[in-house]
Amino acid sequence: MRVCLKGLLLLAVCLYGSSIGHAIDSPDEMLPDPVLEQKAQHIGQQLRCLVCQNESIEESSAPLAKDLRHIVRQQLQQGRSPKDITLWMTQRYGEFIRLQPRFSASTALLWLMPFLSLMIGFLLARPLWARRTSPPPAPLTVEERQKLNQFFNKD
Amino acid sequence: MRLTRRHYLAALPALGAAGLGGGFLYMLRHATQGTFDPKAVRNPRLGQAVPAFSPLPALPEQPTPCPGLSWQDFHTLTQPVLLLIWASWCLPCLEEIPFLRQHIAGETTTASPLALWGVCYKDTPSQAAHWLEQAHHPFSRLGMDYDGQCAIEWGVTGVPESFLILPHPLTGSRIVWHGTGSLTEALYREQIQPFLRGAL
């Protein structure tokens, strides 16, 4: 039981660590200036690793991600702005490298999908709501009531 | 039987499943032929000029020397160039060799003069030389991209990748086609050859 608990604890620590950790493979990769390093991490977190495709280059340990991390830091040290660096990357790898692509004709569907699906859902649900809120049927007429009574009093 | 709205609605899931199945079948067939790659990234250099890159040195100490590669080489093109990014440690690069030897090398001497240029990505000279010797690769130019910086300029995400560059007397050379993964005969016939016919 103790071993099991220890294992669980270890797993939890690993999972927690992996969710916040960076794949910077060695501390040498980091810039000596903590402010610039934080800036670099922020830029890197917005850039997709082209090898893993669902991780940022800050998280990925693919060799290409490491090269791109290095370029981000190099350009920051040369005094280039985060915007320039992201543009430099986009020129080489396309809009796909941005984890948050710019709004354009080709990304419009991606950005508008939440609103579109909400609208489609609303349109689909409207007939159901209309049915629920429709007025109650008119009360029975005297004639109908008599007919009903005849049926029930048959036996 | 009269078809009601209920019938049409009941047919929807079946139609959806059929559509999905058709799509998967298409992807599977083209993936095995090498004409579909789900992880391919559309290269923004497509249709544009060749990106500037630092000159790549040749592989040293070769029995039959093959010149290196520079950005300027692409400005003075007289024939279409198929540029391959490869490495000795990459298995798909080995897979495409029989096809390249049979078709591209043969093509060079016949109707369509297509030059085969190579960029060796992140490799050591000894391993690259050994690989080239074993493979009899028909490169007429070969640049060594030791640190992988040239590949980044081209937007390469992995090896192998290939680019077709066509010379143009007025606008300069242009990248007209980009492929990821091994070159196959189907890929060559469907995607590269139409450009070559147009270029002649």
Side-chain angles (χ1 to χ4, degrees), chain A residues 50-53 63-64 67-68 70-71 74 88-96 131, chain B residues 5 38-45 121-122 147-149 151-157:
Chain A
L50 284 310
V51 181
C52 325
Q53 300 202 346
L64 180 66
D67 288 352
L68 295 181
H70 180 67
I71 290 175
Q74 220 175 15
W88 190 94
M89 294 288 174
T90 313
Q91 278 164 354
R92 278 149 191 81
Y93 289 103
E95 204 62 37
F96 188 65
R131 203 177 300 163
Chain B
R5 202 170 75 138
K39 285 190 83 182
V41 176
R42 194 192 183 278
N43 195 298
R45 301 281 192 207
Y121 177 72
K122 287 196 176 181
D147 58 3
Q149 293 303 301
I152 290 178
E153 292 298 339
W154 284 77
V156 167
T157 61

Side-chain angles (χ1 to χ4, degrees), chain A residues 15-127:
Chain A
L15 286 177
Y16 181 69
S18 70
S19 68
I20 56 159
H22 300 298
I24 287 188
D25 295 323
S26 78
D28 317 342
E29 271 194 54
M30 292 163 77
L31 293 175
D33 179 358
V35 179
L36 221 52
E37 171 61 27
Q38 204 179 3
K39 231 177 182 176
Q41 287 184 10
H42 187 73
I43 300 170
Q45 279 161 5
Q46 296 295 315
L47 295 173
R48 185 191 302 274
C49 168
L50 284 310
V51 181
C52 325
Q53 300 202 346
N54 271 326
E55 272 183 323
S56 76
I57 61 166
E58 277 309 308
E59 294 159 333
S60 168
S61 49
L64 180 66
K66 190 182 172 183
D67 288 352
L68 295 181
R69 280 201 295 271
H70 180 67
I71 290 175
V72 168
R73 282 161 177 79
Q74 220 175 15
Q75 295 196 358
L76 267 178
Q77 280 186 316
Q78 289 162 5
R80 303 191 64 183
S81 74
K83 208 175 156 188
D84 284 347
I85 296 170
T86 312
L87 200 66
W88 190 94
M89 294 288 174
T90 313
Q91 278 164 354
R92 278 149 191 81
Y93 289 103
E95 204 62 37
F96 188 65
I97 199 171
R98 290 172 192 254
L99 281 168
Q100 208 169 334
R102 286 173 294 187
F103 188 87
S104 70
S106 57
T107 58
L109 196 64
L110 183 70
W111 278 109
L112 297 177
M113 202 31 120
F115 308 104
L116 277 177
S117 40
L118 205 65
M119 261 169 59
I120 293 170
F122 180 75
L123 287 177
L124 283 176
R126 222 170 54 160

